[in-house]
Amino acid sequence: MPVSRKWAFFDHAAVAPISAPAAQCVELWLRQALDDGDVHCAAWAAGIEQTRSAAAAMINAPREMVALVANTTAGINIVAEGFPWQPGDNVVTRSDEFPSNQYPWLHLAHRGVETRRLQCPDGRLDMDELSAACDARTRIVSISWVTYAGGFRHDLDELCDFCHRRGILLFLDAIQGLGVFPLDVSRTPVDFLSADGHKWLLGPEGAGVFYMRPEHLNRLRPVGVGWNSVVNEHDFHRIDLTLKPNAIRYEGGSQNSPGLLALGASIELLNRFPAALRAEAVEAASELACQRLRALGATIFSDRTARHRSGIVSFELPGADPQAVRRHCLAAGVVLSCRAGRLRISPHAYNTSDDVDRLIDALAAAKCSG
């Protein structure tokens, strides 16, 4: 991760730096496109299929049930716009979800679909309150694996069991967990999943993944249909609307070749390390940071229990303005965020104890200057 030469980077929950292999892919594509035009299209297409395979391997999914999409929002809209809703149906989500996991569901109001948004004032999901919000007309529960502001990590096995015992489908916004925590969809049967690659997957913006369980393929009305959605996608003179028998039907048009190639390179880099090892490294970095933050007098708001902690830590420095602290940290070579009126750090597996030292030194200086 070349970014570490300059920065102590603690902002992977926002827009992460890309990996060196991802950058090399973009550079190669750019040179080929500049010098040769479309001569290398077949090689690019083959590389994109490797990205699909790498993404499928990360979650142990059938590769043909992984669609490569522009972003998390695109994946959510595949389901929100394609599901066979009936007036009176409802969706349940959290009120503090990232906007992309609220607006597509709220947009269904004109079709008579209600979006029920759970209040989670302490950041934790109360399963009893979730149960009370669901009824016989609840079709989907849509939840982030890890909440973006506070870092609460949901127990996916618990959520799957909860939903499926009630005949409800589970949509997982996986952007804040995928690449860090293990997920085997053959054992943890989330129904739908979407994630952009520009956070923990260390890829560029505008290149992401969508997964659906095979049994739901024909339940959804395909949206975004185009030339690449059909079985004879390269026979441009033959118009035959026979859709591909897999999730690739959602890749309607031309793709973001450099972005998807770069995403694949970063996923392959992450896949070299067991998922449990990646999670352990992220948890260790965030736990070390929490220990040092508490010693500095910070108040930690994220749930740090083993079951629910993540790589995201939300905290406050008493008496300090978060935006002023962030500016001071940037000047000191430390990158973090402000979310929901608090400071937020999000270390990745490659962050070291030296990075944590730089973070704490910068925060201590900001605290004194404030």
Side-chain angles (χ1 to χ4, degrees):
M1 294 299 296
V3 70
S4 60
R5 300 170 190 159
K6 180 178 180 181
W7 300 94
F9 197 92
F10 288 90
D11 207 14
H12 298 87
V15 179
I18 65 172
S19 68
Q24 291 163 6
C25 278
V26 174
E27 290 167 355
L28 176 60
W29 178 91
L30 184 62
R31 176 53 58 187
Q32 290 176 335
L34 180 67
D35 291 344
D36 303 317
D38 67 354
V39 170
H40 301 281
C41 277
W44 298 340
I48 289 172
E49 289 309 307
Q50 291 177 10
T51 298
R52 189 189 317 280
S53 296
M58 178 169 274
I59 59 174
N60 194 28
R63 66 177 304 280
E64 68 274 9
M65 298 314 298
V66 172
L68 300 174
V69 294
N71 44 53
T72 309
T73 305
I76 295 172
N77 274 288
I78 287 173
V79 178
E81 294 300 323
F83 193 81
W85 303 104
Q86 296 297 319
D89 288 345
N90 67 75
V91 178
V92 177
T93 188
R94 294 176 52 140
S95 65
D96 60 349
E97 287 285 328
F98 192 76
S100 290
N101 199 25
Q102 298 196 57
Y103 290 136
W105 311 115
L106 291 167
H107 188 57
L108 297 170
H110 73 286
R111 295 171 64 178
V113 178
E114 178 189 4
T115 299
R116 299 176 178 177
R117 301 189 298 155
L118 294 171
Q119 302 296 316
C120 302
D122 63 354
R124 298 167 179 82
L125 177 65
D126 186 308
M127 294 301 292
D128 290 334
E129 292 183 5
L130 176 60
S131 180
C134 296
D135 59 26
R137 299 301 300 275
T138 303
R139 302 297 177 232
I140 293 175
V141 168
S142 187
I143 292 288
S144 289
W145 189 352
V146 175
T147 61
Y148 81 100
F152 182 86
R153 176 164 56 95
H154 294 95
D155 185 323
L156 299 187
D157 290 319
E158 181 182 36
L159 282 175
C160 284
D161 180 67
F162 171 92
C163 290
H164 294 162
R165 281 191 290 106
R166 293 164 173 80
I168 300 169
L169 303 181
L170 178 63
F171 190 106
L172 185 67
D173 178 343
I175 195 169
Q176 297 290 8
L178 193 62
V180 175
F181 296 103
L183 175 58
D184 181 342
V185 296
S186 71
R187 296 193 299 177
T188 303
V190 299
D191 295 285
F192 310 100
L193 173 156
S194 187
D196 202 332
H198 69 271
K199 298 186 188 290
W200 305 91
L201 290 175
L202 306 177
E205 292 185 277
V209 299
F210 169 77
Y211 159 78
M212 66 188 308
R213 296 192 68 77
E215 59 264 34
H216 301 318
L217 179 67
N218 293 320
R219 190 172 188 177
L220 301 185
R221 178 179 181 273
V223 295
V225 172
W227 67 267
N228 197 40
S229 300
V230 300
V231 293
N232 297 303
E233 69 269 31
H234 294 298
D235 189 350
F236 302 137
H237 297 288
R238 178 185 179 187
I239 302 302
D240 177 9
L241 186 59
T242 301
L243 296 172
K244 291 177 178 175
N246 48 52
I248 305 172
R249 62 174 56 175
Y250 297 110
E251 300 172 14
S254 298
Q255 295 171 303
N256 172 12
S257 293
L260 290 172
L261 291 168
L263 174 61
S266 281
I267 293 177
E268 288 176 352
L269 173 65
L270 291 167
N271 281 347
R272 294 178 194 171
F273 306 92
L277 186 61
R278 299 195 304 265
E280 181 183 343
V282 170
E283 289 183 349
S286 57
E287 277 299 287
L288 175 60
C290 284
Q291 293 171 15
R292 300 288 303 278
L293 286 168
R294 292 188 186 102
L296 190 62
T299 302
I300 307 294
F301 289 92
S302 298
D303 189 324
R304 299 306 300 171
T305 60
R307 185 184 183 194
H308 295 299
R309 67 190 178 199
S310 70
I312 295 175
V313 178
S314 174
F315 67 98
E316 288 181 357
L317 285 177
D321 173 62
Q323 293 292 345
V325 171
R326 181 176 182 273
R327 289 192 295 270
H328 185 97
C329 287
L330 285 172
V334 176
V335 186
L336 45 67
S337 277
C338 298
R339 291 291 187 274
R342 294 171 180 151
L343 293 160
R344 185 190 71 178
I345 58 168
S346 45
H348 211 304
Y350 68 89
N351 285 114
T352 66
S353 58
D354 289 341
D355 292 331
V356 176
D357 288 342
R358 290 178 65 186
L359 168 70
I360 298 303
D361 288 346
L363 290 172
K367 182 180 177 183
C368 291
S369 65

